[in-house]
Amino acid sequence: MNLKLFGEVFVTLLVIVDPPGMVPVFLALTGTLPARERTRAGTQAVLLALGVIVIFAVAGQTLLDYLHVQLPALQGAGGLLLVLVALQLLTGQTDEPSEQGSTTNVALVPLGTPLLAGPGAIVATMLFVQRADGVNDYWVIGLGILAVMATVWLVLRFSGGIVKLLRPGGIEVLTRIAGLLLAAIAVQLIADAVAAFVKLYTAGA
């Protein structure tokens, strides 16, 4: 087993996903849910992120080429999704029809994607796959991805204790802070996408 490659994959993706930084957003989106529903949302988000990253690792470049989509476009789309969620958190407006629907939707967007399986994680994974030398390296990359997702799940799973300390008033404050942070992340994603497009078309001119 290539431990060096495993370490590179694990550390790189862990830094990009940033589990501790995910906790405020996760609690802001799920803090009012029962513990069981909150755990389910975390599990669904991690499973979705794992599926998205694996799909892009296996066929990411082929899929993007087929759709004539470039990576900066994916980055910009992720930024726009986060803008919508950030506005909901900042204004306190949620239009989910039911608790179950809310749990599922929150797990899919923005937790599963683009926060966990965002452009950064997708691009990093695709680059590791391109560097892989043989089937053994592919298995090592897969194990690294699984290890990162397991770490994220553990962090989200045991973040419920923070909810008990914060109480409803603290959750309300945390929601506003998380909205502001998400808005900043969204603006950065969109700015990076614009810069990448400018650089791409300037170089091609």
Side-chain angles (χ1 to χ4, degrees):
M1 180 174 175
N2 190 340
L3 293 178
K4 181 181 178 182
L5 178 60
F6 176 83
E8 288 180 359
V9 173
F10 181 79
V11 172
T12 301
L13 290 181
L14 196 68
V15 170
I16 292 173
V17 174
D18 187 20
M22 280 289 300
V23 171
V25 178
F26 178 71
L27 293 180
L29 293 169
T30 64
T32 58
L33 296 176
R36 194 174 190 179
E37 296 298 325
R38 189 166 55 248
T39 300
R40 180 182 298 174
T43 302
Q44 289 176 340
V46 169
L47 289 177
L48 174 66
L50 178 61
V52 170
I53 289 176
V54 168
I55 288 172
F56 274 94
V58 174
Q61 195 59 56
T62 302
L63 180 62
L64 293 179
D65 290 342
Y66 176 76
L67 296 174
H68 304 290
V69 173
Q70 296 174 340
L71 286 173
L74 192 65
Q75 196 168 13
L80 291 175
L81 277 174
L82 287 185
V83 166
L84 296 177
V85 177
L87 289 175
Q88 281 192 340
L89 292 179
L90 287 170
T91 59
Q93 295 176 355
T94 54
D95 50 8
E96 307 297 345
S98 66
E99 184 178 277
Q100 180 62 39
S102 176
T103 302
T104 303
N105 289 331
V106 161
L108 298 180
V109 179
L111 291 176
T113 181
L115 287 178
L116 291 179
I122 289 172
V123 172
T125 303
M126 290 171 62
L127 291 176
F128 278 122
V129 169
Q130 290 174 7
R131 282 176 42 197
D133 183 20
V135 177
N136 186 55
D137 282 358
Y138 291 137
W139 280 107
V140 171
I141 293 171
L143 289 175
I145 295 170
L146 283 175
V148 170
M149 290 298 121
T151 302
V152 173
W153 182 83
L154 287 173
V155 171
L156 298 183
R157 171 66 180 82
F158 293 104
S159 63
I162 302 175
V163 174
K164 297 178 181 178
L165 295 175
L166 291 177
R167 301 185 181 278
I171 292 293
E172 184 72 17
V173 173
L174 187 63
T175 299
R176 299 297 184 266
I177 295 174
L180 185 60
L181 292 175
L182 272 185
I185 294 172
V187 170
Q188 187 63 55
L189 280 174
I190 294 172
D192 290 344
V194 171
F197 270 123
V198 170
K199 182 178 179 181
L200 185 66
Y201 286 108
T202 300

